[in-house]
Amino acid sequence: MYLPHSFMYGIAALSLAISQNAFSADANNVLRVGTSGDYAPFTYKEKGAVTGFDIAVVEAVAKKIGYQVKWEVADFVGLFGQLDSGRIDTVANQLSITLERQQKYQFSQPYEFSGDVFVIKQDNNSIKNIQDLAGKTVGVGFGTADERKLRSLLAGKNVTIKTFDEDPVAELNEVVLGRVDAYYNGAVAVRTAIGRAKLPLKLLGKPAAYDEIGLPFARNARGQALASKVNAALGELKKDGTLQKISLQWLKADVTKKN
């Protein structure tokens, strides 16, 4: 049967509109989140899925705002590229809220306050403070906020900084093997890694610095809208005690406020 071009065009336009509306509805109810899945106990893989503290926080936030989470697992160094290209909406990977990052991204309010520490061998009695690191080699995660803070903290102290792009246990093993004299990372992460792998290491004193951990969003309409919703949800989850429960479950401590 012959159908006029105008009729066919109308059907095509209607189909396109339905398709676009369906895509829009799907996009508006799915939170695409990037994570490395290799940073226990915050984000790691188990039975084919990602799990951990950051994962649980995002899932709780998504539930509060009526969204489903679509997880995208990639190397840490590539997560910001995915955020910049619009492939993901945010990153859940223990991201510190820094002035440099805030110039480019809109961050949620912090959902964790993390203290950074130096880790040394259990039997090392020669390093007792930062000054004792002079002439030593210190390891840190490549491209992390910790790396930038460490370089600032040790500036002018004659310390060699060696960067790594591996999981915390592998990086801590560099200290055990004597390839670096100390390692710099978040206290919760290193305590967990030391305990899981039973490494002969210890923390050097109190935290040298503190981080505020949050979720970054692109500075566009979608990013700003999501950031607003996520902020409101985090506020409610803090108020009703949900965030504290998640923290105690995964980290055995309440890191949702400054201690």
Side-chain angles (χ1 to χ4, degrees), residues 92-131:
N93 215 98
Q94 285 291 288
L95 286 185
S96 302
I97 303 174
T98 65
L99 290 176
E100 181 183 3
R101 288 172 177 169
Q102 284 179 309
Q103 290 176 358
K104 188 172 183 179
Y105 306 104
Q106 180 170 335
F107 272 84
S108 70
Q109 61 174 288
Y111 59 86
E112 178 193 345
F113 297 91
S114 173
D116 297 325
V117 295
F118 290 95
V119 182
I120 59 177
K121 281 186 178 182
Q122 187 71 52
D123 60 359
N124 187 332
N125 297 315
S126 63
I127 300 177
K128 298 178 180 179
N129 51 50
I130 292 180
Q131 285 67 36

Side-chain angles (χ1 to χ4, degrees), residues 213-230:
I213 306 300
L215 300 169
F217 295 87
R219 290 189 176 278
N220 54 32
R222 179 174 171 83
Q224 291 175 351
L226 285 173
S228 178
K229 291 180 180 181
V230 167

